[in-house]
Coordinates of all heavy atoms in Angstrom, one line a residue:
M1 N -7.5 6.9 -6.5 CA -6.5 6.2 -5.6 C -5.2 6.2 -6.3 O -5.0 5.8 -7.5 CB -7.1 4.8 -5.5 CG -6.1 3.9 -4.7 SD -6.5 3.8 -3.0 CE -5.6 2.2 -2.6
R2 N -4.2 6.7 -5.7 CA -2.9 6.9 -6.3 C -2.0 5.7 -6.1 O -0.9 5.6 -6.8 CB -2.2 8.1 -5.7 CG -2.9 9.4 -6.1 CD -2.1 10.5 -5.5 NE -3.0 11.6 -4.9 CZ -3.5 11.5 -3.7 NH1 -3.1 10.5 -2.9 NH2 -4.2 12.4 -3.2
I3 N -2.3 4.8 -5.1 CA -1.4 3.7 -4.8 C -1.9 2.4 -5.4 O -3.1 2.1 -5.5 CB -1.3 3.6 -3.2 CG1 -0.6 4.9 -2.7 CG2 -0.6 2.4 -2.9 CD1 -1.0 5.2 -1.3
K4 N -0.9 1.8 -6.0 CA -1.2 0.5 -6.7 C -0.4 -0.6 -6.0 O 0.6 -0.4 -5.4 CB -0.9 0.6 -8.1 CG -1.7 1.6 -8.8 CD -1.4 1.6 -10.3 CE -2.1 0.4 -10.9 NZ -1.8 0.3 -12.4
T5 N -1.0 -1.9 -6.3 CA -0.2 -3.1 -5.8 C 1.1 -3.1 -6.4 O 1.3 -2.8 -7.6 CB -1.0 -4.3 -6.3 OG1 -2.4 -4.1 -5.8 CG2 -0.4 -5.6 -5.6
G6 N 2.1 -3.4 -5.6 CA 3.5 -3.5 -6.0 C 4.3 -2.2 -5.8 O 5.5 -2.2 -5.9
D7 N 3.6 -1.1 -5.5 CA 4.4 0.2 -5.1 C 5.1 0.0 -3.8 O 4.7 -0.7 -2.9 CB 3.3 1.3 -4.9 CG 2.8 1.9 -6.2 OD1 3.4 1.6 -7.2 OD2 1.8 2.6 -6.2
K8 N 6.2 0.6 -3.7 CA 7.0 0.7 -2.5 C 6.5 2.0 -1.8 O 6.5 3.1 -2.4 CB 8.5 0.7 -2.8 CG 9.3 0.5 -1.5 CD 10.8 0.5 -1.8 CE 11.5 0.2 -0.5 NZ 13.0 0.5 -0.6
V9 N 6.1 1.8 -0.5 CA 5.5 3.0 0.1 C 6.2 3.2 1.5 O 6.8 2.3 2.1 CB 4.0 2.9 0.3 CG1 3.3 2.9 -1.0 CG2 3.7 1.6 1.2
L10 N 6.1 4.4 2.0 CA 6.6 4.9 3.2 C 5.4 5.2 4.1 O 4.5 5.9 3.7 CB 7.5 6.1 3.1 CG 7.8 6.8 4.4 CD1 8.9 6.0 5.2 CD2 8.4 8.2 4.1
V11 N 5.3 4.6 5.3 CA 4.3 4.8 6.2 C 4.5 6.2 7.0 O 5.6 6.3 7.5 CB 4.1 3.7 7.2 CG1 2.9 4.0 8.2 CG2 4.0 2.4 6.5
I12 N 3.6 7.1 6.9 CA 3.8 8.4 7.5 C 2.9 8.6 8.7 O 3.1 9.6 9.5 CB 3.5 9.5 6.5 CG1 2.1 9.4 5.9 CG2 4.6 9.6 5.4 CD1 1.8 10.6 5.0
R13 N 2.0 7.7 9.0 CA 1.2 7.8 10.2 C 1.0 6.4 10.8 O 1.1 5.4 10.1 CB -0.1 8.5 10.0 CG -0.1 10.0 10.0 CD -1.4 10.6 9.9 NE -1.4 11.9 9.2 CZ -1.8 12.0 7.9 NH1 -2.3 11.0 7.3 NH2 -1.6 13.2 7.3
G14 N 0.7 6.4 12.1 CA 0.4 5.2 12.8 C 1.6 4.5 13.5 O 2.7 5.1 13.5
K15 N 1.4 3.3 14.0 CA 2.5 2.7 14.8 C 3.7 2.3 14.0 O 4.8 2.1 14.6 CB 1.9 1.6 15.6 CG 1.5 0.3 14.7 CD 0.9 -0.7 15.7 CE 0.6 -2.0 14.9 NZ 1.7 -3.0 14.9
D16 N 3.5 2.2 12.7 CA 4.7 1.8 11.9 C 5.2 2.9 11.1 O 5.9 2.7 10.1 CB 4.3 0.6 11.0 CG 4.2 -0.7 11.7 OD1 5.0 -0.9 12.7 OD2 3.4 -1.5 11.4
R17 N 5.1 4.1 11.6 CA 5.5 5.3 10.9 C 7.0 5.2 10.7 O 7.8 4.8 11.5 CB 5.2 6.5 11.9 CG 5.5 7.9 11.3 CD 5.3 9.0 12.4 NE 4.1 8.8 13.2 CZ 4.2 8.6 14.6 NH1 5.3 8.7 15.2 NH2 3.1 8.5 15.3
G18 N 7.4 5.6 9.4 CA 8.8 5.6 9.1 C 9.3 4.3 8.4 O 10.3 4.3 7.8
K19 N 8.4 3.3 8.5 CA 8.8 2.0 7.9 C 8.4 2.0 6.3 O 7.5 2.7 6.0 CB 8.1 0.8 8.5 CG 8.8 0.6 9.9 CD 8.1 -0.7 10.5 CE 8.5 -0.9 12.0 NZ 7.8 -2.0 12.5
T20 N 9.1 1.2 5.6 CA 8.7 1.0 4.2 C 8.3 -0.4 3.9 O 8.8 -1.3 4.6 CB 9.9 1.5 3.3 OG1 11.0 0.6 3.6 CG2 10.3 2.9 3.5
G21 N 7.6 -0.5 2.9 CA 7.2 -1.9 2.4 C 6.5 -1.9 1.1 O 6.2 -0.8 0.5
L22 N 6.3 -3.1 0.6 CA 5.6 -3.2 -0.7 C 4.1 -3.4 -0.5 O 3.6 -4.1 0.4 CB 6.1 -4.4 -1.5 CG 7.5 -4.3 -2.1 CD1 7.9 -5.6 -2.8 CD2 7.5 -3.2 -3.1
V23 N 3.3 -2.7 -1.3 CA 1.9 -2.8 -1.3 C 1.4 -4.2 -1.8 O 1.8 -4.6 -2.9 CB 1.2 -1.7 -2.1 CG1 -0.3 -1.9 -2.1 CG2 1.6 -0.3 -1.5
K24 N 0.7 -4.9 -1.0 CA 0.2 -6.2 -1.3 C -1.2 -6.1 -1.9 O -1.6 -6.8 -2.8 CB 0.2 -7.1 -0.1 CG 1.6 -7.6 0.3 CD 2.1 -8.5 -0.8 CE 3.6 -8.9 -0.5 NZ 4.2 -9.5 -1.7
V25 N -2.0 -5.3 -1.2 CA -3.4 -5.2 -1.6 C -3.7 -3.7 -1.6 O -3.4 -3.0 -0.7 CB -4.4 -5.9 -0.6 CG1 -5.8 -5.7 -1.1 CG2 -4.0 -7.4 -0.5
A26 N -4.3 -3.2 -2.7 CA -4.8 -1.9 -2.8 C -6.2 -1.8 -3.1 O -6.6 -2.3 -4.2 CB -4.0 -1.1 -3.8
D27 N -7.1 -1.5 -2.2 CA -8.5 -1.4 -2.4 C -9.0 0.0 -2.8 O -8.9 0.9 -1.9 CB -9.2 -1.9 -1.2 CG -10.7 -2.1 -1.4 OD1 -11.3 -1.4 -2.3 OD2 -11.3 -2.9 -0.7
R28 N -9.3 0.1 -4.0 CA -9.6 1.5 -4.5 C -11.0 2.0 -4.0 O -11.3 3.2 -4.1 CB -9.4 1.7 -6.0 CG -10.3 0.7 -6.8 CD -9.8 0.7 -8.2 NE -9.7 2.0 -8.8 CZ -9.3 2.3 -10.0 NH1 -8.8 1.3 -10.7 NH2 -9.3 3.5 -10.5
I29 N -11.9 1.1 -3.6 CA -13.1 1.5 -3.1 C -13.1 2.1 -1.8 O -13.5 3.1 -1.5 CB -14.1 0.3 -3.1 CG1 -14.1 -0.5 -4.4 CG2 -15.5 0.6 -2.7 CD1 -14.8 0.1 -5.6
T30 N -12.4 1.4 -0.8 CA -12.3 1.8 0.6 C -11.1 2.7 0.7 O -10.9 3.3 1.8 CB -12.2 0.6 1.5 OG1 -11.1 -0.1 1.2 CG2 -13.4 -0.2 1.4
E31 N -10.2 2.8 -0.3 CA -8.9 3.5 -0.2 C -8.1 3.1 1.0 O -7.5 3.9 1.7 CB -9.2 5.1 -0.1 CG -10.0 5.6 -1.3 CD -9.4 6.8 -1.9 OE1 -8.9 7.6 -1.1 OE2 -9.5 7.1 -3.1
R32 N -8.0 1.8 1.1 CA -7.1 1.2 2.1 C -6.1 0.3 1.4 O -6.4 -0.3 0.5 CB -8.0 0.4 3.2 CG -8.8 1.4 4.0 CD -9.7 0.7 5.0 NE -8.9 0.3 6.2 CZ -8.6 1.2 7.2 NH1 -9.1 2.4 7.1 NH2 -8.0 0.8 8.2
V33 N -5.0 0.2 2.1 CA -3.9 -0.7 1.5 C -3.4 -1.6 2.6 O -3.4 -1.3 3.8 CB -2.8 0.2 0.9 CG1 -3.2 0.9 -0.3 CG2 -2.2 1.1 1.9
K34 N -2.9 -2.8 2.1 CA -2.2 -3.7 3.0 C -0.7 -3.7 2.5 O -0.5 -3.9 1.4 CB -2.8 -5.1 3.0 CG -4.1 -5.2 3.7 CD -4.6 -6.6 3.7 CE -5.9 -6.7 4.5 NZ -6.4 -8.1 4.6
V35 N 0.2 -3.4 3.5 CA 1.6 -3.3 3.1 C 2.4 -4.4 3.8 O 2.2 -4.7 5.0 CB 2.1 -1.9 3.5 CG1 3.6 -1.8 3.0 CG2 1.3 -0.8 2.9
E36 N 3.1 -5.1 3.0 CA 3.9 -6.2 3.6 C 4.7 -5.8 4.8 O 5.5 -4.9 4.7 CB 4.9 -6.7 2.5 CG 5.6 -8.0 2.7 CD 6.5 -8.4 1.5 OE1 7.2 -7.5 1.0 OE2 6.4 -9.5 1.1
G37 N 4.5 -6.5 5.9 CA 5.3 -6.3 7.1 C 4.9 -5.1 7.9 O 5.6 -4.7 8.9
I38 N 3.9 -4.4 7.5 CA 3.4 -3.1 8.2 C 2.1 -3.4 8.8 O 1.2 -4.1 8.2 CB 3.3 -2.0 7.1 CG1 4.7 -1.8 6.4 CG2 2.8 -0.8 7.8 CD1 5.7 -1.2 7.3
N39 N 1.9 -2.8 10.0 CA 0.6 -2.9 10.7 C 0.2 -4.3 11.0 O -0.9 -4.7 10.8 CB -0.5 -2.2 9.8 CG -1.5 -1.4 10.6 OD1 -1.2 -1.1 11.8 ND2 -2.6 -1.1 10.1
I40 N 1.1 -5.0 11.5 CA 0.8 -6.4 11.9 C 0.3 -6.5 13.3 O 0.7 -5.9 14.2 CB 2.1 -7.3 11.8 CG1 2.5 -7.4 10.3 CG2 1.9 -8.6 12.4 CD1 3.8 -8.1 10.0
Y41 N -0.9 -7.3 13.3 CA -1.5 -7.5 14.5 C -1.4 -9.0 14.9 O -1.5 -9.8 14.0 CB -3.0 -7.1 14.5 CG -3.1 -5.6 14.7 CD1 -3.2 -4.8 13.6 CD2 -3.2 -5.1 16.0 CE1 -3.3 -3.4 13.7 CE2 -3.3 -3.7 16.1 CZ -3.3 -2.9 14.9 OH -3.4 -1.6 15.1
K42 N -1.2 -9.3 16.1 CA -1.1 -10.7 16.6 C -2.5 -11.0 17.0 O -3.0 -10.4 17.9 CB -0.1 -10.9 17.6 CG 1.3 -10.8 17.1 CD 2.3 -11.4 18.1 CE 3.7 -11.5 17.5 NZ 4.4 -10.2 17.5
R43 N -3.1 -12.0 16.4 CA -4.4 -12.4 16.8 C -4.4 -13.8 17.5 O -3.8 -14.7 17.0 CB -5.3 -12.5 15.6 CG -6.8 -12.7 15.9 CD -7.6 -12.6 14.7 NE -7.6 -11.2 14.2 CZ -8.1 -10.9 13.0 NH1 -8.4 -11.8 12.1 NH2 -8.2 -9.6 12.6
H44 N -4.9 -13.8 18.7 CA -4.9 -15.1 19.4 C -6.1 -15.9 18.9 O -7.2 -15.5 18.9 CB -5.0 -14.9 20.9 CG -3.8 -14.2 21.4 ND1 -2.8 -14.9 22.1 CD2 -3.4 -12.9 21.4 CE1 -1.8 -14.0 22.4 NE2 -2.2 -12.9 22.0
Q45 N -5.8 -17.1 18.4 CA -6.9 -17.9 17.8 C -7.0 -19.2 18.5 O -6.0 -19.9 18.9 CB -6.5 -18.2 16.3 CG -7.7 -18.4 15.4 CD -7.3 -18.3 14.0 OE1 -6.4 -19.0 13.5 NE2 -7.9 -17.3 13.3
R46 N -8.3 -19.5 18.7 CA -8.5 -20.8 19.3 C -8.6 -21.9 18.3 O -8.9 -21.6 17.1 CB -9.9 -20.8 20.1 CG -9.7 -20.4 21.5 CD -11.0 -20.7 22.3 NE -12.1 -19.8 21.7 CZ -13.4 -20.0 22.0 NH1 -13.7 -21.0 22.8 NH2 -14.3 -19.2 21.5
G47 N -8.2 -23.1 18.6 CA -8.4 -24.2 17.7 C -9.8 -24.4 17.3 O -10.7 -24.5 18.2
G48 N -10.0 -24.4 16.0 CA -11.5 -24.6 15.6 C -11.8 -26.1 15.4 O -11.0 -26.9 15.0
R49 N -13.1 -26.4 15.8 CA -13.4 -27.8 15.6 C -13.8 -28.1 14.1 O -13.5 -29.1 13.6 CB -14.6 -28.1 16.5 CG -14.7 -29.6 16.9 CD -15.7 -29.8 17.9 NE -15.2 -29.6 19.3 CZ -15.9 -29.6 20.4 NH1 -17.2 -29.8 20.3 NH2 -15.4 -29.4 21.5
Q50 N -14.4 -27.0 13.5 CA -14.8 -27.3 12.1 C -13.6 -27.2 11.1 O -13.5 -28.2 10.3 CB -15.8 -26.2 11.7 CG -17.3 -26.5 12.0 CD -17.7 -25.7 13.2 OE1 -17.0 -24.9 13.8 NE2 -18.9 -26.0 13.7
N51 N -12.8 -26.2 11.2 CA -11.8 -26.2 10.2 C -10.5 -26.9 10.7 O -9.5 -26.9 9.9 CB -11.5 -24.7 9.8 CG -11.2 -23.9 11.1 OD1 -11.0 -24.4 12.1 ND2 -11.3 -22.5 10.9
R52 N -10.5 -27.5 11.8 CA -9.4 -28.3 12.3 C -8.0 -27.6 12.3 O -7.0 -28.1 12.1 CB -9.2 -29.6 11.5 CG -10.4 -30.5 11.7 CD -10.3 -31.8 10.8 NE -11.4 -32.7 11.1 CZ -11.4 -33.6 12.0 NH1 -10.3 -33.8 12.8 NH2 -12.4 -34.4 12.2
Q53 N -8.1 -26.3 12.6 CA -6.9 -25.5 12.7 C -6.3 -25.5 14.2 O -7.1 -25.4 15.1 CB -7.0 -24.1 12.2 CG -7.0 -24.0 10.7 CD -7.2 -22.6 10.2 OE1 -7.8 -21.7 10.8 NE2 -6.6 -22.3 9.1
P54 N -5.0 -25.6 14.3 CA -4.5 -25.5 15.6 C -4.7 -24.1 16.2 O -4.6 -23.1 15.5 CB -3.0 -25.9 15.5 CG -2.7 -25.6 14.1 CD -4.0 -25.7 13.3
G55 N -4.8 -24.0 17.5 CA -4.9 -22.6 18.1 C -3.5 -22.0 18.2 O -2.5 -22.7 17.9
G56 N -3.4 -20.8 18.4 CA -2.1 -20.1 18.6 C -2.3 -18.7 18.2 O -3.3 -18.1 18.2
I57 N -1.1 -18.1 18.1 CA -1.0 -16.7 17.7 C -0.9 -16.6 16.2 O 0.2 -17.1 15.6 CB 0.0 -16.0 18.5 CG1 -0.2 -16.1 20.0 CG2 0.2 -14.5 18.1 CD1 1.0 -15.8 20.9
V58 N -1.7 -15.8 15.6 CA -1.6 -15.7 14.1 C -1.3 -14.2 13.8 O -1.9 -13.3 14.4 CB -3.0 -16.1 13.4 CG1 -2.8 -15.9 11.9 CG2 -3.3 -17.5 13.8
E59 N -0.3 -13.9 13.0 CA -0.1 -12.6 12.6 C -0.9 -12.2 11.3 O -0.9 -12.8 10.4 CB 1.5 -12.5 12.3 CG 2.3 -12.6 13.6 CD 3.8 -12.2 13.4 OE1 4.2 -12.1 12.2 OE2 4.4 -11.9 14.4
V60 N -1.6 -11.1 11.6 CA -2.5 -10.6 10.5 C -2.0 -9.2 10.1 O -1.8 -8.4 10.9 CB -3.9 -10.6 11.0 CG1 -4.9 -10.2 9.9 CG2 -4.3 -11.9 11.6
V61 N -1.9 -9.1 8.7 CA -1.6 -7.7 8.2 C -3.0 -6.9 8.2 O -3.9 -7.3 7.4 CB -1.0 -7.8 6.9 CG1 -0.8 -6.3 6.3 CG2 0.4 -8.5 6.9
A62 N -3.0 -5.9 8.9 CA -4.2 -5.1 8.9 C -4.1 -3.9 7.8 O -3.0 -3.4 7.6 CB -4.5 -4.4 10.3
A63 N -5.2 -3.6 7.2 CA -5.2 -2.6 6.2 C -5.0 -1.2 6.9 O -5.5 -1.0 8.0 CB -6.5 -2.6 5.5
L64 N -4.4 -0.3 6.2 CA -4.3 1.0 6.7 C -4.7 2.0 5.6 O -4.7 1.6 4.4 CB -2.9 1.4 7.2 CG -1.6 1.4 6.3 CD1 -0.6 2.2 7.0 CD2 -1.1 0.0 6.2
S65 N -5.1 3.2 5.9 CA -5.6 4.1 5.0 C -4.5 4.5 4.0 O -3.4 4.8 4.4 CB -6.2 5.4 5.7 OG -6.4 6.4 4.8
A66 N -4.9 4.7 2.8 CA -4.0 5.1 1.7 C -3.5 6.5 2.0 O -2.4 6.9 1.5 CB -4.7 5.1 0.3
A67 N -4.2 7.3 2.8 CA -3.7 8.6 3.1 C -2.5 8.5 4.1 O -1.8 9.5 4.3 CB -4.9 9.4 3.7
N68 N -2.3 7.4 4.7 CA -1.2 7.3 5.7 C 0.1 6.8 5.1 O 1.0 6.6 5.8 CB -1.6 6.4 6.9 CG -2.7 7.1 7.7 OD1 -3.0 8.3 7.5 ND2 -3.3 6.3 8.6
V69 N 0.1 6.6 3.8 CA 1.3 6.2 3.2 C 1.7 7.1 2.0 O 0.9 7.7 1.4 CB 1.3 4.7 2.7 CG1 1.0 3.7 3.8 CG2 0.2 4.5 1.6
M70 N 3.0 7.1 1.7 CA 3.5 7.8 0.5 C 4.2 6.9 -0.4 O 5.0 6.1 0.1 CB 4.4 9.0 0.9 CG 3.6 10.2 1.4 SD 4.8 11.5 1.9 CE 4.9 12.4 0.3
V71 N 4.0 7.0 -1.7 CA 4.8 6.2 -2.6 C 6.2 6.6 -2.7 O 6.5 7.9 -2.7 CB 4.1 6.4 -4.0 CG1 4.9 5.5 -5.0 CG2 2.7 5.8 -4.1
I72 N 7.1 5.7 -2.7 CA 8.5 6.0 -2.8 C 8.8 5.9 -4.3 O 8.7 4.8 -4.9 CB 9.4 5.1 -2.0 CG1 9.2 5.3 -0.6 CG2 10.9 5.3 -2.3 CD1 9.9 4.4 0.4
C73 N 9.3 7.0 -4.9 CA 9.6 7.0 -6.3 C 10.8 6.0 -6.6 O 11.8 6.1 -6.0 CB 10.0 8.4 -6.7 SG 10.6 8.6 -8.3
P74 N 10.6 5.1 -7.6 CA 11.7 4.2 -7.9 C 12.9 4.9 -8.6 O 14.0 4.4 -8.7 CB 11.1 3.2 -8.8 CG 9.8 3.8 -9.3 CD 9.4 4.8 -8.3
S75 N 12.6 6.1 -9.1 CA 13.6 6.8 -9.8 C 14.5 7.6 -8.9 O 15.8 7.5 -9.0 CB 12.9 7.7 -10.9 OG 14.0 8.4 -11.6
C76 N 13.9 8.4 -8.1 CA 14.8 9.3 -7.2 C 14.8 8.7 -5.7 O 15.5 9.3 -4.9 CB 14.3 10.7 -7.2 SG 12.7 11.0 -6.6
S77 N 14.0 7.7 -5.5 CA 13.9 7.0 -4.1 C 13.6 8.0 -3.0 O 14.0 7.8 -1.9 CB 15.2 6.2 -3.8 OG 16.3 7.0 -3.7
H78 N 12.8 9.0 -3.3 CA 12.2 9.8 -2.3 C 10.7 9.5 -2.1 O 10.1 9.3 -3.1 CB 12.4 11.3 -2.7 CG 13.7 11.9 -2.5 ND1 14.2 12.1 -1.2 CD2 14.7 12.2 -3.3 CE1 15.5 12.6 -1.3 NE2 15.8 12.7 -2.6
P79 N 10.2 9.7 -0.9 CA 8.8 9.6 -0.8 C 8.2 10.8 -1.4 O 8.7 11.9 -1.3 CB 8.6 9.6 0.7 CG 9.9 10.0 1.3 CD 10.9 9.8 0.4
T80 N 7.2 10.5 -2.3 CA 6.7 11.6 -3.1 C 5.2 11.6 -3.2 O 4.6 10.6 -3.0 CB 7.4 11.6 -4.5 OG1 6.9 12.7 -5.3 CG2 6.9 10.3 -5.2
R81 N 4.7 12.7 -3.7 CA 3.3 12.8 -4.1 C 3.3 12.3 -5.6 O 4.2 12.5 -6.3 CB 2.7 14.2 -3.9 CG 2.8 14.6 -2.5 CD 2.1 15.9 -2.3 NE 0.7 15.8 -2.7 CZ -0.2 16.8 -2.6 NH1 0.2 18.0 -2.2 NH2 -1.5 16.6 -2.9
I82 N 2.2 11.8 -5.9 CA 2.0 11.3 -7.3 C 1.1 12.3 -8.1 O 0.1 12.7 -7.7 CB 1.3 9.9 -7.3 CG1 2.1 8.9 -6.5 CG2 1.1 9.4 -8.7 CD1 3.5 8.5 -7.2
G83 N 1.6 12.6 -9.3 CA 0.9 13.4 -10.2 C 0.5 12.6 -11.4 O 0.9 11.5 -11.6
H84 N -0.4 13.1 -12.2 CA -0.8 12.4 -13.4 C -0.5 13.3 -14.6 O -0.7 14.5 -14.5 CB -2.2 12.1 -13.4 CG -2.5 10.9 -12.5 ND1 -3.1 11.1 -11.3 CD2 -2.3 9.6 -12.6 CE1 -3.2 9.9 -10.6 NE2 -2.7 9.0 -11.4
R85 N -0.1 12.7 -15.7 CA 0.2 13.4 -16.9 C -0.4 12.7 -18.1 O -0.2 11.4 -18.2 CB 1.7 13.7 -17.1 CG 2.0 14.6 -18.3 CD 3.4 15.1 -18.2 NE 4.3 14.0 -18.4 CZ 5.6 14.0 -18.0 NH1 6.1 15.0 -17.3 NH2 6.3 12.9 -18.2
L86 N -1.2 13.4 -18.9 CA -1.8 12.7 -20.0 C -0.9 12.9 -21.2 O -0.5 14.0 -21.6 CB -3.1 13.4 -20.2 CG -4.3 12.4 -20.7 CD1 -4.4 11.3 -19.8 CD2 -5.6 13.2 -20.8
D87 N -0.5 11.7 -21.8 CA 0.4 11.8 -23.0 C -0.4 11.1 -24.1 O -0.4 9.9 -24.3 CB 1.6 11.0 -22.6 CG 2.6 11.1 -23.7 OD1 2.4 11.8 -24.7 OD2 3.6 10.3 -23.7
G88 N -1.1 11.9 -24.9 CA -2.0 11.3 -25.9 C -3.1 10.6 -25.2 O -3.9 11.3 -24.4
K89 N -3.3 9.3 -25.4 CA -4.4 8.6 -24.7 C -3.8 7.9 -23.5 O -4.6 7.2 -22.8 CB -5.0 7.6 -25.6 CG -6.0 8.3 -26.6 CD -6.7 7.3 -27.4 CE -7.8 8.0 -28.3 NZ -8.5 7.0 -29.2
T90 N -2.5 8.0 -23.2 CA -2.0 7.2 -22.1 C -1.8 8.1 -20.9 O -1.4 9.2 -21.0 CB -0.6 6.7 -22.5 OG1 -0.6 6.2 -23.8 CG2 -0.1 5.6 -21.5
K91 N -2.3 7.6 -19.7 CA -2.2 8.4 -18.5 C -0.9 7.9 -17.8 O -0.9 6.7 -17.5 CB -3.4 8.2 -17.7 CG -3.7 9.3 -16.7 CD -5.1 9.0 -16.1 CE -5.4 9.9 -15.0 NZ -6.7 9.6 -14.3
H92 N 0.0 8.8 -17.5 CA 1.2 8.4 -16.7 C 1.1 8.9 -15.4 O 0.6 9.9 -15.1 CB 2.4 9.0 -17.4 CG 2.7 8.5 -18.7 ND1 3.0 7.2 -19.0 CD2 2.7 9.1 -20.0 CE1 3.3 7.0 -20.2 NE2 3.1 8.2 -20.9
R93 N 1.6 8.1 -14.4 CA 1.8 8.6 -13.1 C 3.2 9.1 -13.0 O 4.1 8.5 -13.4 CB 1.7 7.4 -12.1 CG 0.3 6.8 -12.0 CD 0.1 6.0 -10.8 NE 1.2 5.0 -10.5 CZ 1.3 4.3 -9.5 NH1 0.6 4.5 -8.4 NH2 2.3 3.4 -9.4
I94 N 3.3 10.3 -12.5 CA 4.6 10.9 -12.4 C 5.0 11.3 -10.9 O 4.1 11.6 -10.1 CB 4.8 12.2 -13.3 CG1 3.7 13.2 -12.9 CG2 4.6 11.8 -14.8 CD1 4.0 14.6 -13.5
C95 N 6.2 11.3 -10.7 CA 6.8 11.7 -9.4 C 6.8 13.2 -9.4 O 7.3 13.9 -10.3 CB 8.2 11.2 -9.3 SG 9.1 11.8 -7.9
K96 N 6.2 13.8 -8.3 CA 6.2 15.3 -8.3 C 7.5 15.9 -7.9 O 7.8 17.0 -7.9 CB 5.1 15.7 -7.3 CG 3.7 15.5 -7.9 CD 2.7 16.5 -7.4 CE 1.4 16.4 -8.2 NZ 0.4 17.3 -7.6
N97 N 8.4 15.0 -7.5 CA 9.8 15.4 -7.1 C 10.7 15.5 -8.2 O 11.3 16.5 -8.5 CB 10.3 14.4 -6.0 CG 11.5 14.9 -5.3 OD1 11.7 16.1 -5.1 ND2 12.4 14.0 -5.1
C98 N 10.7 14.4 -9.0 CA 11.8 14.4 -10.1 C 11.1 14.3 -11.5 O 11.8 14.3 -12.4 CB 12.8 13.3 -10.0 SG 12.0 11.7 -10.2
Q99 N 9.7 14.3 -11.5 CA 8.9 14.2 -12.7 C 9.1 13.0 -13.5 O 8.7 12.9 -14.7 CB 9.3 15.4 -13.7 CG 9.2 16.8 -12.9 CD 7.8 17.1 -12.5 OE1 6.9 17.1 -13.3 NE2 7.7 17.6 -11.3
A100 N 9.7 12.0 -13.0 CA 9.9 10.7 -13.7 C 8.5 10.0 -13.8 O 7.7 10.1 -12.9 CB 10.9 9.8 -13.0
I101 N 8.4 9.3 -14.9 CA 7.1 8.5 -15.0 C 7.3 7.2 -14.2 O 8.3 6.5 -14.3 CB 6.9 8.1 -16.5 CG1 6.5 9.4 -17.3 CG2 5.8 7.1 -16.6 CD1 6.5 9.2 -18.8
I102 N 6.4 7.0 -13.3 CA 6.5 5.8 -12.4 C 5.9 4.6 -13.1 O 6.6 3.5 -13.0 CB 5.8 6.1 -11.1 CG1 6.6 7.2 -10.3 CG2 5.7 4.9 -10.2 CD1 6.1 7.6 -9.0
E103 N 4.8 4.7 -13.7 CA 4.2 3.5 -14.3 C 3.0 3.9 -15.1 O 2.4 4.9 -14.8 CB 3.8 2.6 -13.1 CG 3.2 1.3 -13.6 CD 2.6 0.6 -12.3 OE1 3.4 0.4 -11.4 OE2 1.4 0.3 -12.3
N104 N 2.7 3.2 -16.2 CA 1.6 3.5 -17.0 C 0.3 3.0 -16.3 O 0.3 2.0 -15.6 CB 1.7 2.8 -18.3 CG 2.8 3.4 -19.2 OD1 3.2 4.4 -18.9 ND2 3.1 2.7 -20.2
V105 N -0.7 3.9 -16.4 CA -2.0 3.5 -15.8 C -3.0 3.4 -17.0 O -3.1 4.4 -17.7 CB -2.4 4.6 -14.8 CG1 -3.8 4.2 -14.2 CG2 -1.4 4.8 -13.7
K106 N -3.7 2.3 -17.0 CA -4.7 2.2 -18.1 C -5.9 3.0 -17.7 O -6.3 3.1 -16.5 CB -5.1 0.7 -18.1 CG -4.1 -0.2 -18.9 CD -4.6 -1.6 -19.0 CE -3.5 -2.5 -19.5 NZ -3.8 -3.9 -19.1
K107 N -6.4 3.7 -18.7 CA -7.5 4.5 -18.4 C -8.8 3.7 -18.3 O -9.0 2.7 -19.0 CB -7.7 5.5 -19.6 CG -7.2 6.9 -19.2 CD -7.7 7.9 -20.2 CE -8.8 8.7 -19.5 NZ -9.2 9.8 -20.5
Ligands
ZN201 ZN1 11.2 10.8 -8.3

């Protein structure tokens, strides 16, 4: 999984195609991410008797596949593919566009 929490990403597929946002949740098992302000669904909710919540319309951020977003490089600010480079024992994520190191990744 190339995408991590806190990455700025560009959505390349789906209804929010072309929008950018910050990754809030990155699930490496399912390879799905939740991006702030992206893929929002309005869910109509009834008032519950148990949890005493008022009914209404709740906005929910739905997860989208990590394959549908591209990381925006903080260095060249282009949407880019992520490569990896091993520097001794440290694994770096690098921008395939400008080769800048994006962030250290613990092995
Ligand atoms: Zn770059």
